[in-house]
Amino acid sequence: MAVAGLASCTGNYDLPNPPAQSNPAEVPFDINKLSVASLSENEGATLDLTSANNNGQQVAVALAHAIDWPANYLLDLTMNVTYKGKTVQVPTTTVNDTVYVAPDALNDEFYTITKDPAVATISVNFTPKAKLAESNSSFLLGGPGFTLGDETLTIKPFDPVVVIEDSYTLVLGDKKVALNHTSSESVYDDPKFSVVCDLTGATDWYVTNAAGDAKWAGEGQNGTMTAGTTGNVDLNGPVMFSFNMETKYFEIYVAYPQLYTPGGANSWSQAASTPIYTTDYVNYKGFVHVASMFKFCGTLSWDVNWGGENGKLVPNGKNIEVKEDGCYYVTANLANLTYTTTLMTSCGVIGDATPNGWGGQTNLVQDAGNPMIYRGQIDFNGTGEWKIRFNDNWDYNLGGDMNNLTVGGSNIPTPGAGKKTVTVDLSKFPYTVSVQ
């Protein structure tokens, strides 16, 4: 007979000298005599957690059966719920061999994976424990990682507190513009919608749902929207409208496609500076030549500019200073008014197509006349892939199309075996790399 040994127990182990263990060293039970199976009535059925909770009912999820179970122990099964690659644990109770979960407990744990109230099919198994009837001490059965009763259940989570629709429309004066959902996630997990529109002067606006029977708007350029109202915005050019349809928070701001970086490296010329770019009109990033100091500008003039220090942006603020001339990886966040400047102390190639493999970069040499250009001779392998990395740090890497390098882009196929001259050019956008 296989006897299940003690694997864990509860207790206060924060004390300097914990008391001596008084629980039995092992549970006298053969794990092969315990089984957990699915309930036939759950097959093809949807477990409505809202209905069960409103009726004060537990939800039956499995059938447990034990032979020769020791009288002084209680069966303690933890239900492991897996959905979209994430797993949570839900406590259960077992009554007359039927395993139950509290609908609110299951819903709360499921909510940590997704807030989507749609019907979902979850994968379930159970971690068995034996619990001393007269104490809170529990002991794992079958060893760490052992589970029983693999099955699937279909559940309908609680109804949402705030209903979020799949689509919304921004009404601007006499125009209607469809809002874009900002990700591929459920609208309940990412309730943000946005759109960029070209405006000329003052314009009335509001957001409406697909049926057109509800509308929301707010005052100013950010805040909480109120149902049944109309707002007004007085901006020119490309303007970002961003809405959180769960909290009804909105933001309206000029959508600069890039930020210019005039400073000492380019005679304080916006047009001659290296811009940094964005995909969301909030976060901007890129490589910039900085000599002594610089600022950010939203246009090719000084009408809209940011300076600052210690990582904080200030509209029309003081020049941003750096300690040494060089190539910097620069970021700016216009919502939080923050920035970073990181000096690129090295640039190299890395990958199994390069001499040092993926274990270390083979460095290039920075051009003496232009710190935004790196060049060197690399002895490539005939097979494999490679990328460009800076500072021996994967936070700063380029890949993808050699004529349009992107930060974090895909691996680049080997150019073929032999010594070749690699030139990385960050002086203009898009960034490029050539191999000759």
Side-chain angles (χ1 to χ4, degrees):
M1 175 180 291
V3 178
L6 171 63
S8 68
C9 63
T10 61
N12 184 357
Y13 288 89
D14 295 327
L15 299 175
N17 294 295
Q21 175 69 24
S22 58
N23 294 331
E26 54 184 30
V27 179
F29 181 70
D30 182 352
I31 191 60
N32 296 312
K33 293 184 176 182
L34 175 64
S35 63
V36 178
S38 59
L39 291 167
S40 58
E41 57 263 37
N42 286 342
E43 295 181 8
T46 298
L47 304 180
D48 190 330
L49 303 186
T50 300
S51 176
N53 195 64
N54 290 343
N55 293 326
Q57 298 174 335
Q58 298 281 298
V59 177
V61 292
L63 186 68
H65 181 64
I67 300 173
D68 298 330
W69 184 261
N72 59 328
Y73 286 90
L74 301 174
L75 177 60
D76 182 8
L77 294 172
T78 297
M79 185 168 77
N80 306 302
V81 176
T82 300
Y83 185 69
K84 291 186 175 181
K86 298 179 180 179
T87 302
V88 294
Q89 284 75 43
V90 184
T92 72
T93 56
T94 303
V95 180
N96 295 328
D97 287 353
T98 301
V99 183
Y100 296 90
V101 295
D104 55 347
L106 175 54
N107 189 82
D108 288 348
E109 291 300 328
F110 185 73
Y111 192 81
T112 66
I113 299 177
T114 178
K115 298 179 182 179
D116 195 331
V119 171
T121 299
I122 58 177
S123 298
V124 169
N125 58 34
F126 299 85
T127 299
K129 298 178 184 178
K131 181 178 179 181
L132 276 171
E134 68 276 8
S135 75
N136 290 322
S137 298
S138 294
F139 305 87
L140 280 174
L141 298 176
F146 179 79
T147 61
L148 291 168
D150 291 332
E151 62 173 307
T152 59
L153 295 172
T154 301
I155 64 170
K156 173 64 176 73
F158 283 9
D159 297 331
V161 176
V162 177
V163 175
I164 305 174
E165 299 186 27
D166 290 332
S167 63
Y168 294 91
T169 299
L170 173 64
V171 179
L172 283 169
D174 58 356
K175 297 180 180 180
K176 294 182 178 181
V177 183
L179 292 176
N180 304 309
H181 185 224
T182 57
S183 76
S184 59
E185 296 183 43
S186 160
V187 294
Y188 285 91
D189 293 325
D190 180 7
K192 294 180 181 178
F193 293 77
S194 65
V195 70
V196 176
C197 300
D198 285 318
L199 299 185
T200 304
T203 307
D204 290 336
W205 69 272
Y206 64 86
V207 174
T208 185
N209 60 355
D213 57 5
K215 68 183 231 182
W216 304 267
E219 297 181 0
Q221 290 184 220
N222 59 73
T224 302
M225 295 188 292
T226 302
T229 62
T230 298
N232 184 272
V233 58
D234 190 2
L235 293 172
N236 292 288
V239 174
M240 168 66 82
F241 289 81
S242 178
F243 306 96
N244 184 317
M245 297 310 295
E246 179 182 24
T247 63
K248 299 299 186 292
Y249 186 81
F250 76 97
E251 290 181 294
I252 304 172
Y253 49 88
V254 176
Y256 302 105
Q258 67 272 315
L259 296 182
Y260 300 99
T261 57
N266 45 63
S267 302
W268 294 95
S269 166
Q270 286 87 359
S273 69
T274 307
I276 58 175
Y277 290 85
T278 183
T279 57
D280 60 9
Y281 301 99
V282 173
N283 296 284
Y284 297 77
K285 59 187 178 182
F287 295 91
V288 176
H289 179 197
V290 183
S292 181
M293 57 185 67
F294 77 107
K295 298 187 80 172
F296 296 106
C297 288
T299 65
L300 289 171
S301 73
W302 292 103
D303 293 343
V304 181
N305 74 86
W306 296 265
E309 60 182 334
N310 299 324
K312 299 295 184 181
L313 287 177
V314 178
N316 301 306
K318 62 184 294 187
N319 297 337
I320 298 171
E321 299 183 8
V322 297
K323 293 183 178 180
E324 57 184 286
D325 185 339
C327 173
Y328 284 79
Y329 185 72
V330 172
T331 70
N333 182 302
L334 296 189
N336 299 329
L337 290 179
T338 58
Y339 73 92
T340 65
T341 56
T342 305
L343 178 65
M344 299 292 97
T345 57
S346 67
C347 171
V349 297
I350 187 170
D352 53 7
T354 68
N356 293 328
W358 291 108
Q361 63 187 57
T362 303
N363 285 333
L364 306 174
V365 178
Q366 195 170 37
D367 189 279
N370 188 338
M372 303 296 286
I373 295 176
Y374 298 81
R375 187 178 291 109
Q377 196 171 64
I378 303 297
D379 191 1
F380 283 96
N381 297 322
T383 60
E385 298 175 318
W386 62 288
K387 298 188 77 172
I388 301 157
R389 191 173 73 169
F390 300 82
N391 291 12
D392 291 300
N393 189 330
W394 282 112
D395 289 343
Y396 314 104
N397 77 88
L398 295 172
D401 186 342
M402 292 174 61
N403 294 312
N404 186 9
L405 295 170
T406 55
V407 176
S410 59
N411 298 342
I412 304 170
T414 180
K419 292 184 177 180
K420 304 178 188 295
T421 299
V422 175
T423 303
V424 177
D425 188 349
L426 309 176
S427 64
K428 55 186 179 297
F429 194 86
Y431 311 128
T432 63
V433 59
S434 64
V435 179
Q436 297 178 334

